[in-house]
């Protein structure tokens, strides 16, 4: 199997995680951000992640990939749906998280941004979605303050977590991994330990070394 992805993409992280949880090997192929032809040839549009299955067929959509890979071997890990508290948390924090991380992603050292053309294409795409990224960078403190109560709630939830639900991790970890590129976020010990543990299990590295 081959997994086509971007390193920065939190949805691609979801797909990467299930291979780590299941201990299933997959060839990871990072496409350039300005490569429209490859994904369009596969699924008819520019979108990642895409899984190329052993039969040569292509499967897009991160959660579809997660469930497909999970059913390939025992034990099944994703039959339980994401916890309502985590689904609500994810929906609540997503906009603030993207405003914090996207300007930093455009400046970071990701394989999909290895050419000036690819980086320019990515910046153009994100500026269409978020406007002037330099303004978002100036709003870092305000956005972190906005995020703090939700991080506190996650800290409490993780500390009191009773059941290991992989679907919860597949929603939580990509968000936290993205946030690890933001220099001024004071991660609690509980959250930081969680991030390091899931990173080790899944083989998806954190972004602290690129934090801005």
């Amino acid at each position: 199997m081959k997994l086509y992805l971007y390193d920065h993409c939190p949805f691609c992280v979801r797909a990467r995680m299930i291979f780590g949880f299941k201990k299933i090997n997959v060839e990871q192929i990072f496409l350039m951000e300005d490569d429209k032809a490859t994904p369009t040839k596969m699924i008819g549009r520019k979108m990642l992640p895409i899984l190329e299955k052993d039969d040569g067929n292509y499967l897009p959509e991160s959660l579809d990939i997660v469930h497909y890979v999970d059913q390939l071997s025992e034990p099944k890990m994703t039959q339980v749906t994401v916890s309502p508290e985590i689904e609500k948390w994810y929906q609540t924090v997503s906009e603030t998280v993207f405003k914090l991380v996207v300007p930093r992603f455009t400046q970071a050292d990701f394989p999909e941004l290895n050419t000036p053309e690819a980086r320019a294409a990515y910046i153009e795409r994100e500026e269409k979605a978020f406007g002037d990224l330099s303004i978002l960078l100036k709003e870092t403190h305000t956005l972190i303050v906005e995020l703090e109560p939700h991080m506190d709630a996650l800290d409490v939830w993780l500390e009191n977590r009773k059941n290991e639900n992989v679907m919860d991790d597949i929603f939580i970890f990509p968000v936290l991994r993205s946030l690890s590129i933001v220099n001024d976020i004071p991660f609690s010990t509980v959250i930081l330990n969680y991030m390091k543990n899931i990173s080790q299990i899944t083989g998806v590295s954190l972004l602290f070394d690129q934090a801005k």
Side-chain angles (χ1 to χ4, degrees):
M1 288 184 290
K2 297 178 182 179
L3 185 64
Y4 297 86
L5 66 159
Y6 301 132
D7 192 13
H8 74 272
C9 168
F11 302 103
C12 298
V13 171
R14 290 178 175 180
R16 296 166 70 183
M17 288 174 70
I18 192 62
F19 286 97
F21 279 127
K22 301 286 289 191
K23 295 181 171 55
I24 296 175
N25 291 327
V26 65
E27 181 181 354
Q28 296 187 12
I29 300 172
F30 295 96
L31 296 184
M32 300 301 290
E33 176 62 46
D34 59 340
D35 180 358
K36 297 179 181 179
T38 301
T40 301
K41 183 179 178 181
M42 294 174 181
I43 62 168
R45 55 179 168 150
K46 183 180 183 292
M47 171 185 157
L48 294 179
I50 299 170
L51 178 67
E52 183 179 350
K53 299 189 286 186
D54 287 335
D55 63 7
N57 288 321
Y58 296 106
L59 179 66
E61 299 287 353
S62 59
L63 293 181
D64 288 345
I65 293 170
V66 166
H67 291 299
Y68 172 78
V69 173
D70 187 36
Q71 60 84 34
L72 293 177
S73 66
E74 297 292 340
K76 301 297 191 298
M77 295 181 172
T78 64
Q79 292 176 320
V80 180
T81 58
V82 62
S83 300
E85 302 95 327
I86 294 306
E87 187 169 18
K88 182 178 179 182
W89 177 85
Y90 174 81
Q91 292 171 349
T92 302
V93 303
S94 289
E95 182 177 355
T96 303
V97 169
F98 277 115
K99 287 180 179 179
L100 278 166
V101 305
V102 163
R104 291 163 171 85
F105 283 173
T106 63
Q107 299 176 14
D109 182 21
F110 293 120
E112 61 267 25
L113 304 179
N114 270 348
T115 67
E117 294 80 10
R119 192 177 297 274
Y122 181 51
I123 292 171
E124 181 182 2
R125 177 162 69 88
E126 297 298 18
E127 285 183 338
K128 284 181 180 178
F130 294 95
D132 190 332
L133 300 181
S134 64
I135 292 176
L136 284 183
L137 280 173
K138 293 176 183 177
E139 294 176 355
T140 293
H141 176 72
T142 300
L143 292 168
I144 290 176
V145 170
E146 186 178 311
L147 189 64
E148 280 179 357
H150 306 296
M151 296 297 283
D152 290 343
L154 180 64
D155 178 86
V156 172
W157 188 89
L158 287 172
E159 192 165 23
N160 294 292
R161 188 179 188 181
K162 296 291 189 281
N163 300 313
E164 297 294 324
N165 178 358
V166 164
M167 286 305 297
D168 288 337
D169 298 320
I170 283 171
F171 273 73
I172 297 169
F173 178 76
V175 174
L176 297 178
R177 193 250 189 181
S178 295
L179 287 172
S180 68
I181 205 169
V182 183
N183 209 20
D184 298 321
I185 292 182
F187 293 102
S188 71
T189 301
V190 169
I191 291 177
L192 188 58
N193 287 341
Y194 169 83
M195 293 165 70
K196 291 178 178 178
N197 182 51
I198 299 297
S199 175
Q200 184 175 20
I201 292 170
T202 62
V204 180
S205 62
L206 297 167
L207 302 173
F208 287 114
D209 62 337
Q210 297 204 64
K212 300 182 189 311

